[in-house]
Amino acid sequence: MSALAVALVRDELIGLLAAQAPRLDHALKKVTKQGGEVVLIDGTLIRTQRRTGRTDRRNYSSKHRSHVLHFLALTDEKGRLIWISAARPGRTHDNTAACHDHILAHLRAAGLGALADLGFRGLDNDILDPVIVTGYTASRTHKPTPGEKEANRILAIGRAPVEHGFAHLKNWRILTKLRTDPARATRLLRALLVLTNLEVNRRPMIFFADSRPRPA
C-alpha cells in the first residue's frame, strides 16, 4: 500500500472517530440525565511545529515561548472528558473561547453549573444566580479573607479531576507536538477524545476482572 493510500485511510478513520465526539449541548444534557449538577471547564494548549507564513503568528504564545493551539474542554465531576472545542490560535484567552462557544448559555439551558479557574473570571457576571464559579483573587487593594481563601481551597479540590482528564488525553504521543496541519487538529483531538474515553472505560473492567476472587 502506498504512502498516499495509508494517509487517506488514516484521515478517513480520524474523521469517523471525530464524528462520534458529542456536541456541547448533547454532552451537557447527558450529564443532566445522569444526575450531575456541575461540570469542570478548563483550557489547555497543545504544542505545534512552527509553520511559515503570517497566519501562524497567531499560534505563538509569548508566555510559553512556543507555537501552540488552544482548546477548551469540559469534564464531569470525576474528570471524564465529555466535550472538546475546536482548535483556536494559541493567543486565544479562555474567556474569548468560552464566549465564542456560548458556554454560559449552554450551561443555563442544561441547568448545570461549572467550576473554573481564574482564567474564566468575568465570564459570568450574574451575582444573584451565577453558573460559573471561579473563586476569589487578590489585588493591590484587596487581600482574600480567611473565608475566601477557604473557598478557593475547596474550589481547587473540586477542580482537580479536570487535570486528570487532560492527562489522559495528552498521553497520546502525537500530542507532544502536532505535526499535522493545525486546521486538522480539531478532528484529531475529537477522535482522540473518543479513543481516550474508550480506554478509560475499559480500565475499570480489566481491574474488576483481575481483582475478582477466584474459587479455591
Side-chain angles (χ1 to χ4, degrees):
M1 185 179 289
S2 67
L4 177 60
V6 171
L8 291 174
V9 172
R10 177 203 62 198
D11 291 343
E12 181 70 17
L13 288 174
I14 290 176
L16 291 173
L17 285 169
Q20 300 301 313
R23 288 173 25 185
L24 177 56
D25 54 343
H26 292 172
L28 294 177
K29 287 179 181 178
K30 184 176 180 179
V31 172
T32 303
K33 289 181 179 179
Q34 293 175 344
E37 296 181 350
V38 299
V39 294
L40 313 179
I41 181 173
D42 204 356
T44 191
L45 300 175
I46 303 294
R47 290 195 175 191
T48 63
Q49 284 189 332
R50 181 178 181 180
R51 300 171 65 86
T52 58
R54 293 183 178 181
T55 57
D56 196 47
R57 293 179 183 177
R58 299 181 302 165
N59 295 330
Y60 182 76
S61 170
S62 57
K63 178 180 179 180
H64 297 274
R65 297 183 179 180
S66 61
H67 288 74
V68 294
L69 291 175
H70 179 277
F71 291 86
L72 278 184
L74 293 177
T75 75
D76 60 18
E77 297 176 67
K78 296 181 180 179
R80 173 190 166 95
L81 285 166
I82 60 173
W83 173 81
I84 196 164
S85 73
R88 292 191 174 88
R91 295 181 180 181
T92 306
H93 192 274
D94 288 342
N95 263 1
T96 303
C99 288
H100 186 275
D101 289 321
H102 307 289
I103 295 292
L104 190 59
H106 281 293
L107 287 170
R108 290 193 182 280
L112 294 171
L115 304 183
D117 61 21
L118 294 176
F120 294 88
R121 189 173 178 83
L123 180 62
D124 185 0
N125 291 320
D126 190 333
I127 300 176
L128 298 178
D129 187 23
V131 172
I132 299 177
V133 179
T134 58
Y136 300 91
T137 183
S139 66
R140 293 182 179 180
T141 58
H142 173 74
K143 292 184 178 180
T145 65
E148 291 174 342
K149 290 181 180 179
E150 179 64 14
N152 285 346
R153 186 187 70 82
I154 295 174
L155 178 62
I157 294 174
R159 288 192 62 259
V162 74
E163 300 298 337
H164 299 306
F166 279 134
H168 286 306
L169 182 65
K170 291 184 177 181
N171 277 338
W172 296 95
R173 185 178 299 178
I174 192 173
L175 294 185
T176 56
K177 200 168 188 180
L178 284 178
R179 293 176 174 82
T180 186
D181 185 342
R184 301 179 183 176
T186 297
R187 287 198 307 163
L188 176 61
L189 264 290
R190 288 176 175 169
L192 293 180
L193 180 148
V194 173
L195 292 176
T196 298
N197 283 336
L198 288 174
E199 178 66 16
V200 170
N201 289 340
R202 187 171 65 91
R203 288 176 185 173
M205 294 175 64
I206 295 175
F207 177 79
F208 178 78
D210 290 345
S211 62
R212 180 175 299 171
R214 298 179 180 178

